[in-house]
Amino acid sequence: MLSLLLIGKKLPVDVKGMISSILQVVIAPIAAGLLLNNCVFFFFYRLFPKLSNAIRPFLPVLSVLDTACCVGAPLALNINSVMSPFGATILLLVTMFHLSAFFSGYFLTGSVFRNAPDSKALQRTLSYETGMQSSLLALALATKFFQDPLVGIPPAISTVVMSLMGFTLVMIWSSEKELSI
């Protein structure tokens, strides 16, 4: 219905397939992560503590590399479109979307929970959560359910912008915390 309203065309969408993909992309990794972190990794740590401690610092880097590969492929395949006015427009829109999400999360939380004992931490948490939208999920769904390769460009650009903005906020807030100590 939204595509009909925005572009005047109704796009056929496999709702059951999308729900299945969302479960596979979101629920399965969370369940696997909980299982690995709480059960398997616990037993692995008991059996191989030195190996576990050696591997753990590299897991965030592995996650970043995995995300970079997921995002890099659609951007590389469509580099001409990314570098065109179309790409610049998408970049501007995505940047405005994430900025508005970060700001609204921060300021709306501040106005609603201004008397909370730890309102600053709550503001930062909700700002981060609203600004960090699930662009990788959108990318996975776009590439699986739509034939046009250009459909993957907005979520790929969004993932990059969202990550850079989120990282920047965390760096600013952590430096403020260090200055106040």
Side-chain angles (χ1 to χ4, degrees):
M1 295 303 290
L2 188 59
S3 64
L4 182 62
L5 178 69
L6 294 174
I7 62 174
K9 287 172 81 175
K10 189 173 180 185
L11 296 175
V13 176
D14 178 12
V15 176
K16 288 180 184 177
M18 273 200 177
I19 291 171
S20 173
S21 290
I22 290 169
L23 291 173
Q24 291 171 16
V25 171
V26 177
I27 304 300
I30 290 172
L34 288 171
L35 179 68
L36 286 171
N37 199 30
N38 294 324
C39 299
V40 176
F41 199 78
F42 176 76
F43 291 118
F44 187 77
Y45 182 78
R46 289 263 192 213
L47 296 173
F48 308 104
K50 289 182 181 180
L51 181 60
S52 296
N53 288 333
I55 292 171
R56 195 170 277 239
F58 297 103
L59 294 178
V61 174
L62 182 62
S63 175
V64 169
L65 288 173
D66 185 40
T67 301
C69 289
C70 289
V71 170
L75 293 178
L77 290 172
N78 299 295
I79 192 66
N80 292 333
S81 295
V82 171
M83 301 304 288
S84 72
F86 168 75
T89 302
I90 295 297
L91 178 62
L92 176 66
L93 292 172
V94 162
T95 301
M96 296 308 295
F97 169 76
H98 287 292
L99 275 175
S100 66
F102 281 115
F103 280 120
S104 64
Y106 188 84
F107 290 112
L108 288 174
T109 303
S111 65
V112 172
F113 297 102
R114 75 174 70 88
N115 296 326
D118 200 7
S119 65
K120 186 64 76 177
L122 186 60
Q123 280 182 280
R124 290 176 175 181
T125 300
L126 290 177
S127 170
Y128 190 80
E129 290 300 321
T130 55
M132 298 296 283
Q133 302 299 320
S134 187
S135 300
L136 276 177
L137 175 61
L139 179 61
L141 294 175
T143 55
K144 183 170 184 172
F145 290 99
F146 298 99
Q147 301 301 318
D148 189 352
L150 294 177
V151 175
I153 292 175
I157 292 174
S158 179
T159 302
V160 173
V161 169
M162 163 190 77
S163 300
L164 291 173
M165 286 181 171
F167 177 74
T168 301
L169 271 179
V170 168
M171 295 305 292
I172 291 169
W173 289 336
S174 65
S175 69
E176 284 178 8
K177 189 176 180 181
E178 288 173 10
L179 291 175
S180 66
I181 292 178

